[in-house]
Amino acid sequence: SLTETSANGSYARDDSRVAPHNLYVSIRSLYREAARAGGEMSAPEPVFAFAEELEGRSKRVRTASVMFSFANTAEWRWSSGRWVRQFAGAPLALDDGEALAVDNVLIQEVVVKAGIGASPDVTLTGSGRAWLLRDGRVVVGRWTRRSLDHVTAFTTRQGDDLQLKPGTLFVELVPKETGEVTIGR
């Protein structure tokens, strides 16, 4: 395993940000380190299922709101063939001025407890509700993960794999206890 300690030259800290949210890595450098260490270089098993066309049950939607807490809500709006993140009623702009827009938004309801410092402790094992936003539609489903050694499975209510549109993905982890997901037409 290549960590900040074992592959120090591949990692850097941004002093303008608060730890632990200031750690960055060079993927190219990590590949070089892995090759030197004789590491496994094959691609991992796919985490998500993809399909060009959405099949199965879905509903046409235009907005989605993910409330993490009373004071923190993320909003998404279907616009020009993509899901656009909203901030204060307008598209959220990235550093280059472009709106944050993705092909898929996957919302996963998880158990969240207070963690150390400002970071929450998120439980990513077990099961819960899931929502996939793609193509201006929502597919309601579930997620399951037996242990941290297993990959999370995202399925429809009928038990089929949730099929993401090939392209970009944003994952929202919404707290089961304090969060709320509202899907709008």
Side-chain angles (χ1 to χ4, degrees):
S1 133
L2 298 174
T3 66
E4 184 181 8
T5 304
S6 68
N8 187 269
S10 299
Y11 292 85
R13 295 248 177 210
D14 180 348
D15 293 334
S16 69
R17 297 177 182 264
V18 177
H21 310 287
N22 66 344
L23 183 62
Y24 293 85
V25 65
S26 164
I27 299 300
R28 183 172 293 164
S29 178
L30 276 181
Y31 271 113
R32 282 194 303 268
E33 291 287 336
R36 275 190 223 126
E40 175 62 43
M41 300 298 287
S42 62
E45 291 294 318
V47 176
F48 301 107
F50 293 91
E52 289 288 340
E53 299 297 324
L54 182 58
E55 297 178 9
R57 295 182 184 172
S58 66
K59 291 183 182 176
R60 184 168 300 284
V61 296
R62 304 210 33 84
T63 63
S65 176
V66 182
M67 185 179 83
F68 301 101
S69 68
F70 178 70
N72 190 350
T73 300
E75 297 195 0
W76 294 90
R77 182 173 310 277
W78 179 248
S79 177
S80 301
R82 300 190 83 200
W83 287 99
V84 180
R85 181 78 177 258
Q86 303 292 300
F87 181 74
L92 177 66
L94 300 171
D95 286 343
D96 64 4
E98 291 292 316
L100 174 58
V102 295
D103 299 301
N104 305 278
V105 179
L106 183 59
I107 305 165
Q108 182 179 354
E109 186 179 66
V110 295
V111 173
V112 178
K113 297 177 183 155
I116 298 171
S119 295
D121 181 13
V122 179
T123 301
L124 295 174
T125 55
S127 63
R129 297 186 296 173
W131 298 261
L132 171 61
L133 304 173
R134 67 164 281 182
D135 299 327
R137 304 187 76 78
V138 63
V139 181
V140 180
R142 296 195 53 74
W143 68 270
T144 56
R145 186 175 187 192
R146 289 184 288 172
S147 73
L148 293 177
D149 294 331
H150 291 87
V151 173
T152 304
F154 293 93
T155 57
T156 66
R157 287 180 173 166
Q158 294 73 38
D160 299 318
D161 287 341
L162 279 180
Q163 296 181 326
L164 281 66
K165 179 177 185 170
T168 53
L169 167 66
F170 201 101
V171 178
E172 301 277 19
L173 300 177
V174 62
K176 182 176 183 177
E177 304 80 15
T178 61
E180 183 177 319
V181 176
T182 305
I183 306 294
R185 293 181 192 257

